[in-house]
Amino acid sequence: MLMRAVVLEGPVEPEELRVRRVSVPEPRPGWVRVKVEAFGLNRSEYHLRAGLATNARFPVIPGIEATGTVDLAPGGEYEPGQQVVAMMGGMGREYDGGYAEYTVVPASSVIPVRTELDWATLGALPEMLQTAHGSLHTGLAIQPGQTLLIRGGTSSVGVAAAAIAKEHGLTVLSTTRNPERATVLHELGIDHPIVDDGNVAVKVREIAPAGVDAALELVGTNVLPDTLKATAVHGTVCFTGMLSDTWTIPDFYPIGYLPNGVRLTAYGGESSDLPAEALQRYVDLVASGKLPVRIDRVLTMEQIGEAHRIMQEGAAVGKLVVRVT
């Protein structure tokens, strides 16, 4: 039996991405075959496609997440037809991922979910919520009443992190480099939208003179010093994202780099960091309208090249989603 899938033979331009016909994969015990209904696009897939990934294996079907129903579970972990999401655990790198009509993943990467949300909306959530949840709770250990700065606030993770933080009782400051998007941040419920002109710390301290309690860095190491300067003594910065594709710090000297008393941590977790009960709670909040999640647009598999071009150029506000069927 054949299926539609996007197969990467090596680094390509977005417009070179094509849907091909390949064999439907067979799961072995301990693995689950998922009939994919939708999947979200993620920055790490851009890194893979552009040749920036350090652990690339070709040929490969990309995609670090997928949403759909269980098609086959030889080990009996899940029932056929059960609604699930799958993410991380090597998807799209160590083995074929979610850019396909069917994907086979370890049972440990599968999380059951129950919802009447449409597939495109559910498809936007798994990796976005996992990264936001892990960054806020594992990386930053947020507490109600704190102030939180999000660098890269119009990214999908930035939007989700703001929504989760607001639901948790934090005051949120969020940045965008595009002045026109400040209004979008305000509409999303951000308390203090900030236009990033390269001096975010100055603007933050006009709002919170002592600095913020927590900061989520989604842009990269090129703006990290500015984010650290915006953070209060005993505050924490969590480095999670690299929207700028600037990953490393040359000649890192901690005493000269870190402000006194400001903590720097990082987050790059797995699906296990988002327990099934936490995912279900977030999905229910989205369904009830209490947790706003922004989808920039929904595309088809045949539009995968267009989707990657949008992602590469940073033209999306929120999540890009591909509907498979």
Side-chain angles (χ1 to χ4, degrees):
M1 188 167 66
L2 298 179
M3 68 174 184
R4 293 153 57 237
V6 177
V7 181
L8 270 182
E9 301 286 350
V12 297
E13 291 298 315
E15 291 74 19
E16 296 177 87
L17 291 170
R18 295 287 186 274
V19 176
R20 292 167 44 180
R21 292 279 179 176
V22 300
S23 296
V24 173
E26 292 296 330
R28 59 183 184 269
W31 291 61
V32 177
R33 186 165 68 200
V34 177
K35 182 180 184 297
V36 181
E37 296 289 347
F39 58 84
L41 268 65
N42 298 281
R43 195 74 178 176
S44 68
E45 295 148 12
Y46 151 64
H47 293 153
L48 176 69
R49 193 263 310 152
L52 302 175
T54 58
N55 60 341
R57 174 188 70 82
F58 298 109
V60 69
I61 296 173
I64 64 171
E65 66 176 317
T67 299
T69 57
V70 172
D71 185 63
L72 182 62
E77 298 89 350
Y78 297 97
E79 293 294 325
Q82 190 170 356
Q83 199 173 28
V84 295
V85 304
M87 57 182 162
M88 306 292 285
M91 281 184 71
R93 294 289 180 90
E94 298 173 21
Y95 53 88
D96 288 337
Y99 284 25
E101 291 184 295
Y102 293 88
T103 186
V104 169
V105 300
S108 59
S109 296
V110 177
I111 305 176
V113 67
R114 302 175 308 281
T115 184
E116 294 183 2
L117 286 172
D118 63 272
W119 284 116
T121 301
L122 185 61
L125 302 181
E127 176 63 16
M128 183 170 65
L129 288 176
Q130 184 271 331
T131 304
H133 174 91
S135 297
L136 295 178
H137 291 287
T138 301
L140 292 170
I142 60 170
Q143 297 296 325
Q146 289 183 326
T147 50
L148 169 69
L149 169 65
I150 300 174
R151 296 296 297 261
T154 58
S155 67
S156 61
V157 174
V159 171
I164 293 172
K166 289 292 296 178
E167 196 266 337
H168 205 65
L170 278 74
T171 298
V172 178
L173 300 76
S174 191
T175 72
T176 176
R177 291 175 296 169
N178 186 342
E180 296 179 359
R181 292 184 177 179
T183 301
V184 175
L185 290 176
H186 180 74
E187 292 171 352
L188 288 169
I190 303 300
D191 298 289
H192 301 284
I194 295 174
V195 177
D196 182 356
D197 60 0
N199 294 289
V200 166
V202 173
K203 295 184 177 183
V204 166
R205 288 184 179 268
E206 289 174 355
I207 300 165
V212 293
D213 301 303
L216 176 55
E217 182 57 76
L218 299 174
V219 175
T221 58
N222 56 319
V223 303
L224 183 56
D226 189 30
T227 302
L228 289 162
K229 292 175 185 176
T231 306
V233 173
H234 300 154
T236 303
V237 177
C238 178
F239 188 88
T240 294
M242 297 165 289
L243 293 169
S244 65
D245 297 334
T246 307
W247 304 0
T248 59
I249 304 170
D251 303 318
F252 177 61
Y253 174 52
I255 292 177
Y257 194 90
L258 298 171
N260 287 337
V262 176
R263 305 179 179 99
L264 175 61
T265 186
Y267 179 75
E270 290 288 345
S271 57
S272 57
D273 294 338
L274 182 62
E277 58 271 19
L279 174 63
Q280 186 65 55
R281 177 172 172 271
Y282 288 141
V283 168
D284 291 343
L285 286 171
V286 171
S288 67
K290 296 177 181 178
L291 188 67
V293 171
R294 184 180 176 105
I295 297 175
D296 185 89
R297 67 197 81 180
V298 179
L299 303 102
T300 66
M301 277 237 303
E302 285 67 26
Q303 294 173 301
I304 192 65
E306 178 185 347
H308 264 253
R309 176 61 66 185
I310 294 166
M311 178 165 58
Q312 178 173 311
E313 295 178 352
V317 179
K319 192 76 169 181
L320 293 166
V321 180
V322 170
R323 185 74 166 85
V324 174
T325 57

